[in-house]
Amino acid sequence: MALTLPPGLTPPEVAFLCEMELVTIIPRQRLEGLDLLGGPIPTLQPPYRTPLPLWLALLLKRQRRANILPPPWFSVTSLATILELEQESPSFSPPPSLPSRTNTSPPFVASATADAPLDGLPYHWLELGEMLLDAAHDDIPEADTVRRLMRDLREVRIAKMRDRVKVLEGAREVKMNGVGGMEVAEGRAFIGGVVDGLRKIGASKELSRREREAEERENGVLSDDDDDDDEMEM
């Protein structure tokens, strides 16, 4: 019997995709290059910076073979600025600006390397930040403050998503510009439940309206017949 899968990506699947993001590392020892499905990995030579997929960078970090450089937006100053913007504006903070010349689009641009933009949260900001805080907290300046700012950002943005859902009954669409991948995956069940509930309410209202119109039409026909009978008797 085939299992029924939920629509869209689940949070574990989004986290798996996030591990393909490129981050910048500083190797602590020389390592030979590798030929991977995603492309060749150059020879790692300390102290030169090298961009690597997040999954490989986390592996080398756990083996104490490399340090991970956090992206510029993953700092106390940048996160505090973005949090202030989120609290002052009813909309989500804009995503980081794209390079002037690129052949890719979000979420496949290099948004987690050491030279990434610092003016916005990238598509995988939430899951990437949690992975870095979990495996490389010693490479992040003021990691405890960064963790607190990430928690505050998440709470503010979740409240905004719920406010967006409240207007679904009177609008056909809601703008979610700037929402991250994990936020979409986690909010899909809640938003989908609200949309299904509104759809059922709308169907019930439509059925009640049709029944009322049919009853009024039937009563109107009966009244006309009664008038004709009275005229015939006269």
Side-chain angles (χ1 to χ4, degrees):
M1 181 178 179
L3 298 177
T4 302
L5 298 178
L9 297 176
T10 62
E13 292 171 338
V14 174
F16 174 78
L17 293 178
C18 175
E19 293 182 355
M20 307 300 176
E21 287 277 346
L22 291 178
V23 295
T24 303
I25 70 161
I26 299 179
R28 303 178 67 177
Q29 64 184 70
R30 189 179 186 277
L31 298 172
E32 296 296 331
L34 298 173
D35 290 328
L36 302 178
L37 293 177
I41 300 297
T43 299
L44 304 182
Q45 183 71 37
Y48 298 105
R49 299 181 177 185
T50 306
L52 291 182
L54 178 60
W55 67 267
L56 182 56
L58 293 176
L59 176 63
L60 296 178
K61 175 61 181 179
R62 294 188 179 99
Q63 295 176 349
R64 299 182 179 179
R65 294 184 176 184
N67 293 330
I68 300 177
L69 291 177
W73 58 266
F74 200 60
S75 64
V76 172
T77 302
S78 296
L79 291 177
T81 301
I82 297 173
L83 177 60
E84 183 178 358
L85 178 62
E86 292 279 0
Q87 292 173 336
E88 294 178 351
S89 173
S91 59
F92 294 95
S93 61
S97 56
L98 296 177
S100 57
R101 294 183 179 181
T102 178
N103 295 326
T104 58
S105 60
F108 304 106
V109 296
S111 58
T113 56
D115 55 352
L118 53 77
D119 58 349
L121 298 175
Y123 186 71
H124 287 296
W125 73 274
L126 180 57
E127 55 272 31
L128 188 142
E130 291 179 349
M131 292 182 190
L132 292 180
L133 287 171
D134 180 57
H137 60 90
D138 55 327
D139 291 336
I140 302 172
E142 301 181 72
D144 293 337
T145 305
V146 169
R147 191 187 304 274
R148 178 182 58 79
L149 290 171
M150 289 282 291
R151 183 178 63 251
D152 294 343
L153 271 171
R154 185 176 186 180
E155 293 176 354
V156 171
R157 290 167 68 90
I158 287 177
K160 287 185 179 182
M161 289 187 67
R162 293 182 175 178
D163 290 338
R164 294 291 192 280
V165 174
K166 293 179 181 179
V167 302
L168 283 176
E169 187 175 4
R172 295 184 178 180
E173 61 182 17
V174 176
K175 290 185 178 181
M176 290 289 186
N177 298 344
V179 179
M182 185 62 70
E183 293 172 302
V184 173
E186 292 179 345
R188 178 176 285 110
F190 169 73
I191 297 176
V194 173
V195 172
D196 289 341
L198 293 176
R199 186 181 296 114
K200 292 178 180 178
I201 294 174
S204 177
K205 290 181 178 179
E206 179 66 17
L207 180 60
S208 299
R209 184 184 65 82
R210 292 182 179 180
E211 291 177 349
R212 184 174 62 255
E213 290 179 353
E215 183 178 356
E216 292 176 354
R217 190 180 306 112
E218 182 179 358
N219 294 335
V221 171
L222 291 177
S223 299
D224 293 340
D225 293 342
D226 293 341
D227 294 339
D228 294 340
D229 293 340
D230 295 338
E231 293 177 357
M232 291 176 63
E233 291 178 358
M234 293 176 62

